[in-house]
């Protein structure tokens, strides 16, 4: 394991190697190269050292509903992150709580997790508001199915107002290696899906899409920072 202090020193030296002072830049570059050779560090190691993980609690248990998984994928596309879902019991050992772990460059991971929590709160609020408009005589399963259909369509609507962040093959490979180093072998996530829609459920998808298309997600202007979400 390479000490953090070594990584920090190498990064400082590499930053100084861009100095306008040629002498200072040359010394800093040689120091960085010496440390990298001493500890067997390459450019990929430096890039992975900039990766981090941030948690976002979900309103789900062992298996998240498909609409929450779709929302996580939307956030990943906007912030250039990846996710792993995990579930564990709460402190009392009674309730199973789920969470998404967003990973990627440090700033992106933190902001992506925050953005997920904000959008999840808005999505669930809109889903509940929609369900309150349904006929009270409907069966619980029917209300749940229509609520899920609304929520999935909500995420589809939100896609129309965001700008995906294109990742290079090299960055995708860094994501893969970080996932492998941090989590090892993972099981495939199988989200909880609702039953097949019926003809009378289609208004739920229309309402959900319209609600989601009102979402506002500012991509920000800096490469490593994304601004706060706003829902209009």
């Amino acid at each position: 394991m390479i000490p953090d202090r070594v990584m920090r020193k190498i990064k400082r030296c590499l930053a100084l190697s861009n100095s306008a002072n040629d002498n200072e830049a040359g010394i800093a570059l040689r120091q960085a190269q010496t440390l990298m050779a001493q500890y067997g560090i390459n450019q990929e190691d430096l890039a992975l050292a900039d990766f981090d993980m941030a948690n976002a609690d979900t309103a789900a248990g062992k298996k998240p509903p498909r609409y929450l998984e779709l929302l996580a994928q939307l956030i990943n596309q906007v912030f250039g992150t990846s996710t792993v879902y995990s579930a564990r019991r709460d402190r009392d050992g009674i309730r199973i709580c789920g969470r998404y772990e967003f990973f990627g460059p440090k700033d992106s991971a933190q902001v992506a997790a925050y953005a997920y929590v904000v959008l999840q709160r808005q999505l669930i609020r809109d889903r509940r508001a929609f369900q309150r408009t349904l006929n009270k005589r409907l069966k619980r399963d029917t209300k749940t199915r229509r609520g899920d259909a609304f929520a999935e369509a909500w995420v589809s609507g939100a896609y129309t107002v965001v700008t995906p962040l294109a990742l290079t093959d090299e960055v995708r490979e860094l994501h893969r290696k970080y996932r492998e180093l941090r989590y090892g072998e993972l099981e495939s996530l199988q989200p909880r899906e609702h039953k097949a829609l019926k003809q009378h459920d289609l208004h739920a998808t229309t309402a959900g899409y319209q609600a989601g298309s009102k979402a506002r997600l500012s991509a920000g202007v800096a490469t490593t920072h994304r601004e706060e979400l706003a829902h209009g």
Side-chain angles (χ1 to χ4, degrees):
M1 192 72 177
I2 302 167
D4 288 342
R5 61 178 177 78
V6 174
M7 283 295 195
R8 288 195 298 269
K9 187 170 183 179
I10 291 173
K11 289 177 184 178
R12 283 198 301 271
C13 289
L14 289 175
L16 286 172
S17 70
N18 294 317
S19 170
N21 184 315
D22 291 341
N23 184 54
E24 182 181 54
I27 293 173
L29 181 58
R30 287 192 294 274
Q31 287 180 333
Q33 291 172 334
T34 299
L35 285 170
M36 290 173 71
Q38 180 181 347
Y39 288 92
I41 298 170
N42 55 35
Q43 290 295 332
E44 185 177 90
D45 295 325
L46 290 175
L48 285 173
D50 276 332
F51 270 50
D52 201 0
M53 180 273 294
N55 294 324
D57 292 335
T58 72
K62 189 174 182 179
K63 282 187 177 183
R66 196 161 79 103
Y67 59 84
L68 290 185
E69 172 64 15
L70 293 173
L71 181 62
Q73 295 309 316
L74 180 150
I75 294 296
N76 285 335
Q77 289 194 36
V78 174
F79 293 99
T81 51
S82 296
T83 44
V84 168
Y85 186 81
S86 63
R88 61 198 66 194
R89 294 191 180 277
D90 60 17
R91 294 179 180 178
D92 297 326
I94 300 173
R95 182 169 170 264
I96 296 179
C97 302
R99 72 182 183 187
Y100 277 102
E101 299 178 8
F102 289 84
F103 63 88
K106 287 184 174 67
D107 290 346
S108 296
Q110 293 291 335
V111 180
Y114 170 74
Y116 181 86
V117 171
V118 173
L119 268 193
Q120 177 187 231
R121 186 184 305 126
Q122 295 165 359
L123 169 57
I124 292 174
R125 180 198 64 198
D126 288 353
R127 180 179 181 272
R128 287 173 177 167
F130 168 75
Q131 286 183 305
R132 286 196 293 269
T133 69
L134 299 176
N135 192 316
K136 294 181 180 180
R137 291 178 295 178
L138 289 175
K139 294 180 180 179
R140 183 177 180 182
D141 286 350
T142 301
K143 290 182 178 180
T144 298
R145 185 180 68 244
R146 292 184 183 176
D148 288 356
F150 172 95
E152 289 182 16
W154 192 101
V155 178
S156 295
Y159 266 97
T160 65
V161 293
V162 300
T163 303
L165 179 66
L167 298 182
T168 64
D169 291 340
E170 289 78 7
V171 173
R172 292 184 187 280
E173 180 64 10
L174 289 175
H175 280 246
R176 186 193 68 78
K177 289 191 174 182
Y178 183 87
R179 180 190 293 110
E180 188 177 88
L181 288 170
R182 183 176 181 85
Y183 302 102
E185 188 173 349
L186 294 169
E187 296 180 6
S188 297
L189 176 64
Q190 297 295 329
R192 189 177 73 250
E193 299 190 31
H194 57 70
K195 296 180 180 179
L197 296 181
K198 299 180 179 179
Q199 184 66 30
H200 294 301
D201 299 334
L202 296 182
H203 75 287
T205 61
T206 300
Y209 188 88
Q210 291 175 345
S213 65
K214 296 177 183 177
R216 292 293 178 267
L217 181 58
S218 175
V221 293
T223 304
T224 57
H225 179 73
R226 298 279 167 151
E227 293 182 358
E228 182 178 350
L229 288 161
H231 189 265

